[in-house]
Amino acid sequence: MSSVAEFEETARERLDPVYYDFFAGAAGDEITARSNVDSFARLCLLPRVLRGSDKRDLTIELLGSRASMPILVAPTAFHRLAHPDGELATVRAAMAADTVMIVSMAATTAIEDVAAAALEVTPEPELWFQLYLQPDLDFSEAIVRRAERAGVKALVVTVDSPVLGRRERDDRHGFHDLPPGMVVENLRNLRGGEPGHVRQIAMSAELSWEHIAWLRQLTALPILLKGVLHPEDARLAVRHGVAGLIVSNHGGRQLDTVPATIDALPEIAEAVAGAVPLILDGGVRRGTDVAKALALGASAVGLGRPVLWGLAAAGQDGVARVLERVREEFDHTLALCGAASPLDLTADLVRSYR
Ligand SMILES: Cc1cc2nc3c(=O)[nH]c(=O)nc-3n(C[C@H](O)[C@H](O)[C@H](O)COP(=O)(O)O)c2cc1C
């Protein structure tokens, strides 16, 4: 079975370079995107011996959802650019792997269709919905109701995008909207019958904690904030009653030169002190990365680009193989660290010598 890096190679060969660069690219000089990966590599695992187990249990419970491993599918836009089956392929693979898929609001498949495909695989689909809160609250409410009706179990509000990041690869290609025949299906017909163009997703710098309070009274679903990096914001989030945080820098696609997520995690974990679960995404490519994130305080990690590489390389089967590969690597890492479950991964198993 191929590693994530090999899937990326295949995806790069298969994809139109414009779409490859949309998936691979990041903001500015892409310093943060690189450091997400490099910072994982710089950290060492310091394993324990003579205390492991032949039977390892990777399952986790997270905000009322159950996953067979602490490895989730992070929300990414436009899966039909990677493969004609798009989000339907991704969700089938994620549900077969028995894990959580966070479906992007900017999906090229409607959330109802994603949910229906999930239900064909499992009676208890673990789908969460990622939301860009819109300053037009009626519009935001309509999309939340749609996600609720589709049966999602949590809302992930992305808060690192008051404006869109500057991605120079996209600028060079002039890539700013979907090709003909593809739209952001979750926006279709929500606002006066507009067809669902990407530019209808309003990024708003006016969003504030009041909008989170508004969302909390609107829905009974657990709310996670995605894109929190400052420990003070993590404290504020807990005070505002959010159910969980995703420590994320959007894969380096928003503000360049923010820290790698694995470097930001310990301070956030300290600030939150176990009050809410933390999920980390950004740069997770190997089972050893998963172990480091869990040891430093995450309950689970999200995979962004690796899932897209699997999808572009081989559709549903490719996503399935990426998820199984990272699962298998993580299990192997647990064994080599003398751990029997994610809970055995403690901060003393990670060191920085450089
Ligand atoms: C092509 C692409 C599209 C993305 N689209 C979204 C999105 O629609 N909403 C969102 O909250 N994050 C989005 N993200 C960010 C991911 O959720 C995640 O934070 C990031 O990909 C994690 O880093 P990784 O790609 O190194 O795993 C996107 C990332 C990529 C690469």
Side-chain angles (χ1 to χ4, degrees):
M1 213 189 324
S2 307
S3 66
V4 168
E6 287 168 292
F7 273 103
E8 174 167 5
E9 232 3 81
T10 310
R12 199 169 58 79
E13 282 158 22
R14 297 227 161 145
L15 283 169
D16 180 325
V18 176
Y19 302 158
Y20 171 78
D21 275 342
F22 167 69
F23 293 137
D29 293 312
E30 307 190 346
I31 288 167
T32 294
R34 276 193 300 280
S35 70
N36 277 344
V37 171
D38 294 347
S39 287
F40 271 118
R42 262 200 306 278
L43 289 175
C44 296
L45 282 167
L46 196 63
R48 298 296 303 269
V49 297
L50 299 173
R51 61 166 215 188
S53 168
D54 264 351
K55 291 190 200 66
R56 290 175 294 280
D57 179 6
L58 307 192
T59 57
I60 56 157
E61 303 257 346
L62 204 54
L63 303 174
S65 290
R66 204 199 131 274
S68 68
M69 58 179 173
I71 301 161
L72 321 179
V73 175
T76 52
F78 309 163
H79 288 197
R80 286 182 59 208
L81 291 181
H83 189 277
D85 297 341
E87 288 81 4
L88 295 179
T90 313
V91 76
R92 288 182 183 121
M95 295 305 108
D98 200 5
T99 193
V100 174
M101 173 170 168
I102 308 173
V103 182
S104 170
M105 172 164 153
T108 40
T109 309
I111 184 63
E112 295 81 3
D113 296 340
V114 174
L119 274 168
E120 283 167 21
V121 181
T122 167
E124 262 302 290
E126 301 290 5
L127 289 182
W128 298 359
F129 187 77
Q130 177 265 325
L131 184 68
Y132 287 112
L133 260 181
Q134 301 292 290
D136 174 347
L137 295 183
D138 291 342
F139 186 75
S140 283
E141 175 168 357
I143 201 153
V144 168
R145 296 293 178 234
R146 221 175 133 172
E148 285 177 336
R149 275 195 301 274
V152 308
K153 292 193 170 172
L155 292 177
V156 171
V157 181
T158 300
V159 291
D160 60 14
S161 306
V163 292
L164 189 67
R166 290 243 160 86
R167 303 172 193 154
E168 295 182 7
R169 297 199 212 192
D170 292 344
D171 289 345
R172 276 198 295 279
H173 291 302
F175 176 66
H176 296 296
D177 212 335
L178 288 165
M182 272 184 226
V183 296
V184 177
E185 292 290 344
N186 292 320
L187 300 185
R188 201 197 270 273
N189 298 332
L190 265 187
R191 192 152 38 194
E194 288 178 46
H197 288 305
V198 178
R199 52 183 175 271
Q200 277 175 258
I201 299 184
M203 305 275 170
S204 172
E206 282 170 28
L207 291 176
S208 72
W209 291 103
E210 279 167 34
H211 291 89
I212 304 301
W214 171 83
L215 184 63
R216 274 198 71 210
Q217 56 77 37
L218 185 77
T219 180
L221 289 173
I223 295 166
L224 296 92
L225 300 190
K226 173 173 183 281
V228 171
L229 292 172
H230 199 297
E232 198 46 42
D233 282 338
R235 283 190 204 98
L236 276 170
V238 172
R239 255 182 264 145
H240 281 82
V242 308
L245 293 177
I246 306 193
V247 179
S248 171
N249 53 35
H250 218 111
R253 295 163 74 83
Q254 283 297 110
L255 178 60
D256 196 20
T257 75
V258 303
T261 48
I262 192 64
D263 292 331
L265 177 65
E267 260 192 275
I268 302 235
E270 199 189 330
V272 165
V276 297
L278 304 177
I279 298 167
L280 172 142
D281 73 30
V284 177
R285 302 291 179 265
R286 289 282 190 186
T288 46
D289 301 334
V290 183
K292 289 169 189 174
L294 267 54
L296 294 179
S299 298
V301 300
L303 299 180
R305 293 181 185 84
V307 167
L308 295 167
W309 304 145
L311 184 62
Q316 178 184 343
D317 185 49
V319 177
R321 277 154 54 205
V322 164
L323 293 174
E324 288 319 313
R325 170 71 184 220
V326 183
R327 180 206 304 275
E328 188 267 316
E329 287 183 3
F330 174 58
D331 178 60
H332 190 67
T333 304
L334 278 185
L336 287 165
C337 285
S341 86
L343 294 175
D344 295 334
L345 294 169
T346 44
D348 59 294
L349 301 183
V350 176
R351 289 287 156 84
S352 175
Y353 295 98
R354 280 165 275 223

